[in-house]
Amino acid sequence: ADLTTSGPSALEQRQQQQPQRQSQQEKKEEKVPETGIVAGCTVRLQGLKKAAELNGQLGIVRRADRTVLGRWEVEFVEDKAVKSIRTENLIVEHTSAGGAGDIKPNDQHKAKTDDFMAKAKEDDLKEEPQTAAFGDLWPGCPVFVSGLQKATNLNGRHGMVCQPDGQRAGRWEVEFHTDDGSFEVMASIRRENLEIVDL
């Protein structure tokens, strides 16, 4: 009778504890995907204190750090450097779908590079007309002035180009001298009003 009324055996206690441990492990495992961090996803760094200069930078997650729990090996988009970063310092920007590896992050990096190159090309195209239109002038170049509507007194005068006008695009600073060679006046004149004089 004493045996039947006694508490659970050691074996029964282990069997009861085992499901509890399994459920705890399952809960821990369930928490991992909630971060959304997987190999190949694009992340942004935040909250770093020692390496604060890295905050805001984009990186691609390569894999979980095998030496330190709770960290990920992240390759930075800008300089390709790989660093071990804590999970709490990573914000997921884009996740590669279906285990597609690095396809999406690489595409994003390529798009960013293409965008940068397109802007650089745009800037080059903007500069080309100015170079083509004004590249034939140089400091010390003798010019003949014509077609001015405001400073009409300079029409028909000869001057010497000093430099491009730094404040007004498409204009050149031209220096004028009196007949005896002394300095008279400096004027900012458009290229279309200047004709190069052959010496």
Side-chain angles (χ1 to χ4, degrees):
D2 293 337
L3 290 174
T4 56
T5 57
S6 63
S9 65
L11 179 62
E12 289 175 345
Q13 288 179 357
R14 287 176 188 173
Q15 288 176 346
Q16 289 176 0
Q17 289 174 359
Q18 193 171 2
Q20 290 177 358
R21 288 176 184 175
Q22 286 179 351
S23 62
Q24 286 175 359
Q25 286 178 356
E26 287 174 1
K27 286 180 181 178
K28 286 180 181 178
E29 288 174 359
E30 286 173 2
K31 288 181 181 179
V32 174
E34 288 179 6
T35 63
I37 299 174
V38 292
C41 72
T42 303
V43 292
R44 187 181 297 277
L45 275 66
Q46 65 164 6
L48 292 174
K49 295 180 180 179
K50 291 183 179 179
E53 69 277 4
L54 298 179
N55 290 329
Q57 287 198 28
L58 287 174
I60 298 171
V61 174
R62 289 307 174 195
R63 62 183 180 183
D65 193 324
R66 295 177 181 177
T67 58
V68 184
L69 188 66
R71 285 177 173 265
W72 297 84
E73 291 182 7
V74 179
E75 180 181 327
F76 292 94
V77 172
E78 296 296 333
D79 57 7
K80 298 296 182 183
V82 178
K83 294 184 182 295
S84 178
I85 309 295
R86 292 179 182 274
T87 304
E88 57 264 30
N89 297 124
L90 299 175
I91 302 175
V92 177
E93 293 284 323
H94 297 283
T95 305
S96 57
D102 299 336
I103 294 175
K104 285 194 175 181
N106 282 348
D107 284 349
Q108 186 196 17
H109 184 213
K110 184 176 182 298
K112 186 178 179 181
T113 305
D114 290 346
D115 185 52
F116 175 81
M117 294 301 291
K119 286 181 180 178
K121 190 174 180 181
E122 242 178 61
D123 292 340
D124 289 342
L125 290 173
K126 287 177 184 176
E127 290 174 4
E128 279 175 8
Q130 185 174 352
T131 304
F134 307 117
D136 55 344
L137 295 181
W138 63 93
C141 171
V143 290
F144 178 77
V145 182
S146 63
L148 295 177
Q149 296 180 354
K150 292 183 178 180
T152 54
N153 59 308
L154 296 177
N155 287 330
R157 296 282 304 273
H158 288 85
M160 183 179 70
V161 173
C162 292
Q163 61 185 8
D165 191 326
Q167 296 181 343
R168 291 186 288 180
R171 290 176 173 265
W172 288 78
E173 293 180 359
V174 180
E175 193 174 282
F176 294 91
H177 296 83
T178 59
D179 293 336
D180 61 4
S182 58
F183 174 78
E184 181 182 353
V185 69
M186 176 84 73
S188 178
I189 301 176
R190 294 180 183 276
R191 173 63 183 89
E192 55 263 32
N193 299 119
L194 300 173
E195 180 183 344
I196 298 175
V197 178
D198 294 330
L199 296 175

